[in-house]
Amino acid sequence: MMALFHPDNRNRSDRHKKIYAYCEIVYTMVDVSAAVLFVIGSILFFNDATVTPGTWLFLVGSILFGLRPTIKLYREYAYLRLGDYDDITRQ
């Protein structure tokens, strides 16, 4: 049975492994990008002339952090598209 968000789902088949790897790469890129934007935004806050660009970087970084759970939801959806609709259980 396939439980949503179960760590063993990534090893169910070669296609599951590929989906997992792709999502991990995207997740990591989003995570690093958000962190970099927050650090640069923080530095820009030290100068009154660059507060507005810093604020924009914080906003974009926040959006990227919000994208992280969306990537995991996409991964689970992609797993479901491979089949096993009737085998989903809650845990």
Side-chain angles (χ1 to χ4, degrees), residues 28-88:
T28 302
M29 289 177 10
V30 166
D31 219 15
V32 169
S33 298
V36 167
L37 291 177
F38 264 77
V39 170
I40 294 170
S42 296
I43 293 168
L44 292 177
F45 262 72
F46 286 117
N47 185 336
D48 289 337
T50 58
V51 168
T52 299
T55 303
W56 278 103
L57 292 179
F58 279 134
L59 176 61
V60 173
S62 297
I63 291 168
L64 290 176
F65 278 130
L67 186 59
R68 293 167 63 209
T70 305
I71 294 166
K72 289 188 176 190
L73 286 172
Y74 167 81
R75 182 189 68 208
E76 294 302 312
Y77 173 73
Y79 288 163
L80 287 176
R81 287 189 352 214
L82 295 178
D84 298 332
Y85 299 108
D86 297 328
D87 292 340
I88 299 171

Side-chain angles (χ1 to χ4, degrees), residues 1-7 9 12 76 87-91:
M1 288 189 205
M2 186 174 123
L4 292 175
F5 299 101
H6 193 281
N9 288 344
R12 291 174 64 87
E76 294 302 312
D87 292 340
I88 299 171
T89 61
R90 293 184 187 195
Q91 291 188 2

